[in-house]
Amino acid sequence: MNIDSIKNGYVIDHIKAGRAMRIYELLHLNDLDCQVAIITNAKSKKTGTKDIIKIDRDIPINLDALGFIDHNTTVNIVKNDKIVEKKKLSLPEKIVNLATCSNPRCITSSEKTLDQIFILTDKENEVYRCKYCEMSLKKKQ
Amino acid sequence: MKNLIDIKDLSVEEIDDLIEVAKDIIANPEKYSHKCDNKILATLFFEPSTRTRLSFESAMLRLGGKVLGFSEASSSSVSKGETVSDTIRIVGCYSDIIAMRHPKEGAPLVASFKSVVPIINAGDGGHNHPTQTLTDLLTIKCEKNRLDNLTIGLCGDLKFGRTVHSLISAMSRYKGIKFVLISPDELKLPEYVKKDVLDKNNIEYCETKNIEEYIGDLDILYMTRVQKERFFNEEDYIRLKDYYILNKDKLKNAKEDLCILHPLPRVNEISVDVDDDPRACYFKQANYGRYIRMALILKMLEVK
């Protein structure tokens, strides 16, 4: 399968297989009018399979969102057909409006204008807790 | 200290200072009777509560201050759809300090973002109730003369009981604390409290369903009510509400100097035949609550 190389933009690589569409939605890539390629279940030496997203435009990327969904992802920045930088991601300390609190007793359930803020409280087990009610966030796989 | 939202906002030293001030107020009440002249406490109770609201109001009145506020959401602008932030900004114009209870968890934190006056969390849903914890700590200190080297039994609703979670969090910072967690399977202490607080601080604990199994080891027995308002399913509530009833018979193997506490109100979990037992400290505990709230108001208003 051939997919055109990109001139200026990003190759988001090493995405855990099956998570590409979540990233596509979270980064609002459907709003772009440039070429966006989503490759799912590509072969990976490390993990067997992986997803890849190629974006043929230099746009602001929300690295916190990417790190939250899959911090093992690599973001390759492409300029003039060449990879000029590889960004390694980490779990963000705080995420804002990337998830919603599931606790019906949380203040965010009744005051909809509040930002949905989650704080990383346990890095080892990737546990985020709601800033307001401290309910743990159930991450989608 | 700008606000008190969570007991963890206070260091051990700050808690010890508050306890010392509260003990001084108990010993010398007249010395404090005009400390808050011309100060106003607003008690914003978006959810009904008798003792906590009256305790706060009594505390401020005993300091010479005045109080205003409401005791249920239906008598406030919330019933018209006003946000917590807006209510707080308005009330901040009329008062020097706010004690707030709200059924939604995190509401006092939201209030603190916009408030120009100090906010005290007087209970937010099943989440935090830091002044109850301060009350518990003052009671333990006054009744046992120490906050370390204690075996504490926690009995009843350990799942939803905010007072239990806060007390565990606060007591885990002192040396030589052991917990006995007494509850039915459905109301066991959540795993995250065990992991994040007990295991993290290497606190010794055991779990049991039987209140009599460890009663002879306890220095403190903290009883809790199974709270109807925390259940979505009434059948579960009815099944669990009378799981534990402490009575004289169950206390026969308890220590002579056991201290029985309860954040109140109780329903059936402590039989009235225990009330006259010298080990029953729960009514004294309610009285200590006013003194610690007096100390807290003084600290937050920076009144010397």
Side-chain angles (χ1 to χ4, degrees):
Chain A
M1 184 170 64
N2 292 322
I3 294 175
D4 289 347
S5 61
I6 56 176
K7 193 167 179 61
N8 291 297
Y10 300 91
V11 177
I12 305 174
D13 200 357
H14 305 293
I15 302 169
K16 190 173 178 182
R19 289 188 181 173
M21 284 312 292
R22 274 201 75 204
I23 292 175
Y24 181 82
E25 286 163 13
L26 245 147
L27 297 181
H28 303 291
L29 300 182
N30 53 328
D31 295 340
L32 299 176
D33 57 3
C34 63
Q35 288 193 80
V36 177
I38 300 171
I39 305 159
T40 59
N41 299 318
K43 280 181 188 168
S44 163
K45 282 179 189 167
K46 276 188 197 168
T47 55
T49 55
K50 64 179 181 179
D51 291 356
I52 304 167
I53 297 176
K54 293 185 174 188
I55 307 163
D56 197 13
R57 181 168 296 172
D58 187 5
I59 55 162
I61 295 268
N62 183 344
L63 295 177
D64 279 354
L66 274 179
F68 170 64
I69 295 169
D70 188 351
H71 65 279
N72 295 314
T73 296
T74 311
V75 178
N76 300 304
I77 301 171
V78 181
K79 284 194 175 149
N80 298 318
D81 302 309
K82 284 185 180 166
I83 293 174
V84 294
E85 190 180 350
K86 277 180 183 277
K87 278 187 188 286
K88 286 268 182 191
L89 301 179
S90 58
L91 281 173
E93 292 296 320
K94 180 170 94 168
I95 56 164
V96 181
N97 296 331
L98 292 176
T100 51
C101 184
S102 62
N103 178 6
R105 300 181 185 90
C106 180
I107 184 67
T108 56
S109 70
S110 56
E111 300 213 356
K112 301 293 183 191
T113 57
L114 289 170
D115 281 335
Q116 294 270 353
I117 304 171
F118 290 85
I119 309 292
L120 179 63
T121 56
D122 181 349
K123 201 170 181 176
E124 192 187 331
N125 296 303
E126 300 184 23
V127 177
Y128 283 84
R129 290 194 181 278
C130 173
K131 181 182 173 69
Y132 307 99
C133 72
E134 298 183 85
M135 173 75 90
S136 60
L137 177 64
K138 290 176 181 67
K139 276 183 85 171
K140 287 181 194 167
Q141 292 303 306
Chain B
M1 182 175 47
K2 176 74 171 66
N3 306 293
L4 177 60
I5 305 301
D6 185 320
I7 193 68
K8 295 192 287 290
D9 295 343
L10 294 170
S11 65
V12 170
E13 292 72 28
E14 285 174 314
I15 289 174
D16 291 347
D17 284 349
L18 283 170
I19 288 172
E20 286 312 306
V21 173
K23 285 169 73 178
D24 195 50
I25 296 170
I26 294 168
N28 306 291
E30 68 291 340
K31 195 171 116 187
Y32 293 88
S33 60
H34 292 286
K35 289 282 187 187
C36 286
D37 284 354
N38 303 315
K39 299 284 187 190
I40 295 175
L41 165 76
T43 52
L44 307 189
F45 278 63
F46 297 84
E47 175 179 73
S49 154
T50 312
R51 73 203 65 248
T52 304
R53 182 172 58 84
L54 294 183
S55 176
F56 267 110
E57 293 184 356
S58 173
M60 192 50 156
L61 293 170
R62 294 279 186 194
L63 291 167
K66 294 181 174 60
V67 295
L68 53 80
F70 53 81
S71 57
E72 53 184 319
S74 61
S75 55
S76 77
S77 292
V78 174
S79 60
K80 299 170 193 165
E82 188 173 60
T83 63
V84 166
S85 298
D86 283 3
T87 304
I88 286 298
R89 283 194 232 210
I90 302 304
V91 177
C93 302
Y94 309 141
S95 60
D96 300 291
I97 185 166
I98 295 170
M100 172 183 172
R101 169 166 290 193
H102 200 288
K104 291 290 183 182
E105 299 172 6
L109 180 68
V110 171
S112 72
F113 295 155
K114 300 293 180 188
S115 181
V116 293
V117 301
I119 299 284
I120 301 172
N121 181 0
D124 57 335
H127 187 215
N128 280 317
H129 192 357
T131 61
Q132 179 62 50
T133 307
L134 288 173
T135 299
D136 300 340
L137 295 179
L138 176 63
T139 308
I140 294 169
K141 179 75 177 182
C142 290
E143 296 298 317
K144 304 299 292 184
N145 205 27
R146 65 185 193 276
L147 286 171
D148 53 8
N149 297 307
L150 292 164
T151 300
I152 303 170
L154 301 162
C155 179
D157 176 6
L158 310 189
K159 182 179 180 183
F160 298 111
R162 62 187 169 194
T163 56
V164 167
H165 302 173
S166 294
L167 186 62
I168 289 173
S169 179
M171 292 303 298
S172 294
R173 298 194 284 184
Y174 293 91
K175 283 182 186 166
I177 298 297
K178 294 177 193 169
F179 289 107
V180 178
L181 308 173
I182 309 155
S183 70
D185 284 338
E186 296 88 339
L187 296 174
K188 279 171 87 169
L189 191 72
E191 285 302 317
Y192 76 87
V193 180
K194 289 182 206 165
K195 187 170 177 295
D196 296 353
V197 184
L198 297 175
D199 295 344
K200 200 171 174 182
N201 292 294
N202 294 316
I203 302 291
E204 201 180 309
Y205 69 93
C206 60
E207 294 183 283
T208 179
K209 286 185 212 171
N210 182 357
I211 194 168
E212 287 161 285
E213 188 178 358
Y214 292 96
I215 200 150
D217 300 333
L218 304 180
D219 299 303
I220 308 282
L221 174 58
Y222 196 94
M223 298 295 295
T224 61
R225 174 172 59 99
V226 175
Q227 299 174 85
K228 189 178 182 182
E229 59 270 32
R230 307 291 170 229
F231 284 83
F232 289 120
N233 179 342
E234 187 153 359
E235 275 176 30
D236 287 344
Y237 167 70
I238 290 167
R239 188 165 48 83
L240 296 168
K241 71 185 175 71
D242 292 331
Y243 202 95
Y244 296 108
I245 298 176
L246 182 68
N247 55 28
K248 271 194 167 171
D249 189 49
K250 288 188 176 130
L251 285 168
K252 65 178 185 287
N253 293 323
K255 288 182 182 174
E256 286 295 308
D257 63 347
L258 170 72
C259 178
I260 304 166
L261 303 180
H262 191 303
L264 302 178
R266 70 167 158 186
V267 184
N268 293 324
E269 58 277 5
I270 302 180
S271 167
V272 288
D273 71 8
V274 179
D275 291 358
D276 295 327
D277 190 303
R279 293 169 290 189
C281 297
Y282 31 92
F283 292 117
K284 279 196 239 177
Q285 188 182 358
N287 194 35
Y288 286 125
R290 174 163 60 83
Y291 294 115
I292 200 73
R293 289 184 176 98
M294 289 171 77
L296 182 65
I297 290 168
L298 290 174
K299 183 178 174 66
M300 296 189 77
L301 289 176
E302 297 177 352
V303 175
K304 297 291 177 193

